[in-house]
Amino acid sequence: MVLYAKARKEEAEKVRDRIIKSNAMNPDYPVLSDGPYVFFPLKQRIDGLNIVEKEAEKKERKPKNLRDALRGVIPDDKLDKVTRSFDSVGDIAIIEIPDELQEYEEEIGKAILYIHPHFKTVVKKAGKHEGIFRTMPVKVIAGEDKTETVYVESGVKMKVKVDKTYFSPRLSAERLRIANQVKEGETIAGFFAGVGPFPLVIAKRKQCKIYAIELNPVAYELMVENIRMNQLKGEIIPLFGDVREIAQSIPKCDRVLMPLPKGGEDFLDVALRTCKRGAIVHFYQFAPDNDLYSDAIEKIKKAAMKLGRKVSILNKKVVRHHAPHIEQIVIDFIVE
Ligand SMILES: C[S@@+](CC[C@H](N)C(=O)[O-])C[C@H]1O[C@@H](n2cnc3c(N)ncnc32)[C@H](O)[C@@H]1O
């Protein structure tokens, strides 16, 4: 038997609003009507409403999307605040919930699990990427209470802790772009390696040697595990510590990866010193969409001039959207 609120048709709209405001609508059962009455399915009793128990069949129809699944669960005028997209890292969904929907976070999480049953956990972003490790606080809002998962990209398996390590699935195309450029036999410096996605995707495809440097101990340990977990054509040498110190002890390289868009410019001198003649550097930055490249190119030229190195820009492009009017860009340059 299911709890229903019974209302005359002329007062149905008012009763429905009251149920939604009390967060008591039961989305698993249909709204029914019988003669002059409408019956709203309830999760719990609400004082002052005419409550009855009725036989009812669970809804069969699978909602088309998250908004559809939440119709009747959160107020209609807030439905358009529900995001249309979220990040998917292995079996964890990562969602941004605006302030006005915070009180419905559990319902939103459960709706995601219902529509996408391959997820085991839904977390909400509970802050921005911050600190030197660029980690983001998250809160589990539905499903298993965990933040660790295994993510698969370009045939590579990677263990990730979404709260303790930086990781973005939105860089997958960029990682492939670089991997496709690498020539067999290259020596590569993988600065700011995180759990190893750039080095792993490259080494999966190309016979090469990659020195992968990471400062976050949790990310470093996961990178070591991830290297063991995959069959790679190339060799990855994981190195724990600060790029500024560690890069001094590695050989000169054919290519340097600099995936640290916030603050990476402070390491351009290290990258230039790590380059063989003719080496290529991939330099990432955040940039305003009305002037994407001038600032980054200026920083590269300044750093090169200081060290007396000549550089030429090979390619520049937007890698992904970051925030309103801010893009993540990459500049590929060659060091003569
Ligand atoms: C934006 S994340 C990128 C991680 C990884 N490349 C990826 O794409 O998922 C930057 C990484 O650089 C690391 N990091 C920051 N400063 C560093 C430094 N001075 N030396 C080594 N690693 C550093 C952070 O811990 C973080 O894992």
Side-chain angles (χ1 to χ4, degrees), residues 214-230:
E214 174 54 46
L215 187 60
N216 174 353
V218 180
Y220 169 78
E221 288 301 336
L222 287 172
M223 168 163 63
V224 171
E225 215 178 318
N226 290 338
I227 295 167
R228 275 198 222 112
M229 224 159 53
N230 287 281

Side-chain angles (χ1 to χ4, degrees), residues 132-133 166 175 192-193 197-198 214-216 241-243 259-260 267:
I132 196 163
F133 298 155
Y166 176 92
R175 293 190 261 269
F192 319 118
F198 276 89
E214 174 54 46
L215 187 60
N216 174 353
D242 190 329
V243 155
L260 182 65
F267 296 86

Side-chain angles (χ1 to χ4, degrees), residues 19 22 36 40 48 62 72 113 166 187 233 237 254 277 298 301 313:
I19 296 170
S22 311
F40 295 103
K62 191 110 181 164
L113 292 180
Y166 176 92
T187 304
K233 276 193 188 169
I237 297 148
D254 300 297
R277 270 184 80 113
E298 183 69 28
K301 294 210 162 137
I313 307 300

